Amino acid sequence: MFPIRDHNPSGRTPFVVYLLMAANILIFISYAGAMDDARLINQIYYDYAVIPARITDGFAFDTLVTSMFLHGGWMHLIGNMLFLWIFGDNLEDEMGHLPFLLFYLAAGIGAGLIHVLTAPGSLVPTIGASGAIAGVMGGYLLLFPKAQVDILLILIVYIRVFTIPAFVMLGVWLGMQFLGSLSSNPDEGGIAYWAHTGGFFVGLVLSIPLWLRRGGIRYWNRTHGHPPHPEQTYKFSQSRIPRIPRR
């Protein structure tokens, strides 16, 4: 189940989202050629990825930021940038450019610290913008719970795009991360589920002051849980690919 877009175009140009996407893409391109060189890529990860044991020992706190701009492959990068593109623009529109940038970095740092707390002695490098983007998703859920999101559902041969409220899509995503957190061992590597789950709640909590300034529940009543500007509607047209009748 992949989100492909929401129905809420930003009221102003999301310059920070563009900047973050460009930074992530350019940084990945800068070292993508080293992915096949184990010694070089391990050195890059040692210098810039979050290694919980190092932070527990009081070193490399800067990696809580630098790790946000590293990715393990093109699919890792593309997936993260898709989520940032879908959910980041409305949050930046509501927060303002600089506050959104600070929010993004704070959510990523918080997600990294939660990962360190769950695996304080781990020597496995952790990379990716997922924790910060999970924070963006948490803020989006609080401010725009009923925003419409288009989902691409793929079940083996069944492929369909349909629209659901943001709270359903984000609730399912969060539930999957939480279940993954309970069933995985962060000391063994793999997906940093606790960073995702923690980043989501960090972003949600950091968004509460803005939500309260907007009126809290009155803000929801006023906007009906949607971003406070006209919703975009999309029409699904029938494919031009001819159907082959079965005999």
Side-chain angles (χ1 to χ4, degrees):
M1 185 175 70
F2 306 97
I4 57 175
R5 65 188 175 193
D6 65 4
H7 288 223
N8 308 286
S10 178
R12 52 180 166 177
T13 304
F15 291 112
V16 175
V17 169
Y18 292 158
L19 176 65
L20 290 170
M21 292 178 68
N24 278 279
I25 293 168
L26 291 174
I27 289 172
F28 178 75
I29 291 173
S30 73
Y31 70 87
M35 299 293 286
D36 295 328
D37 186 333
R39 184 193 62 80
L40 181 54
I41 197 64
N42 285 336
Q43 185 63 51
I44 291 173
Y45 288 165
Y46 181 82
D47 291 337
Y48 300 109
V50 165
I51 300 177
R54 295 185 69 202
I55 293 179
T56 302
D57 290 338
F59 301 102
F61 287 102
D62 59 309
T63 61
L64 291 168
V65 175
T66 58
S67 63
M68 286 189 246
F69 296 92
L70 300 180
H71 290 83
W74 281 108
M75 293 307 298
H76 188 199
L77 174 68
I78 291 169
N80 276 343
M81 294 304 99
L82 174 64
F83 275 70
L84 177 58
W85 169 252
I86 292 173
F87 299 109
D89 61 334
N90 294 120
L91 215 56
E92 181 179 345
D93 190 12
E94 198 69 9
M95 291 182 173
H97 302 305
L98 181 58
F100 174 74
L101 176 60
L102 297 176
F103 165 87
Y104 178 91
L105 295 174
I109 292 170
L113 289 173
I114 289 171
H115 176 68
V116 171
L117 289 174
T118 61
S122 175
L123 294 171
V124 178
T126 302
I127 58 174
S130 305
I133 295 170
V136 171
M137 295 162 67
Y140 192 100
L141 176 63
L142 178 64
L143 294 174
F144 319 120
K146 294 185 179 180
Q148 298 298 296
V149 180
D150 285 343
I151 300 296
L152 174 63
L153 179 65
I154 302 177
L155 294 175
I156 308 176
V157 296
Y158 178 80
I159 301 175
R160 184 180 176 187
V161 175
F162 59 98
T163 303
I164 60 176
F167 75 87
V168 175
M169 182 265 151
L170 295 173
V172 170
W173 182 89
L174 180 61
M176 293 171 62
Q177 304 311 304
F178 183 70
L179 291 175
S181 301
L182 298 179
S183 60
S184 65
N185 183 352
D187 288 314
E188 296 178 354
I191 297 174
Y193 287 109
W194 279 116
H196 295 175
T197 306
F200 188 95
F201 283 107
V202 169
L204 192 152
V205 170
L206 290 176
S207 301
I208 290 176
L210 173 62
W211 178 67
L212 292 175
R213 287 199 303 272
R214 293 291 189 270
I217 293 176
R218 294 193 305 275
Y219 176 72
W220 283 344
N221 293 335
R222 188 167 66 252
T223 64
H224 305 289
H226 294 259
H229 46 70
E231 181 179 282
Q232 177 69 51
T233 57
Y234 300 101
K235 294 182 179 180
F236 296 101
S237 59
Q238 190 172 17
S239 171
R240 296 181 179 180
I241 301 176
R243 295 183 178 181
I244 302 176
R246 295 181 179 178
R247 293 185 180 276

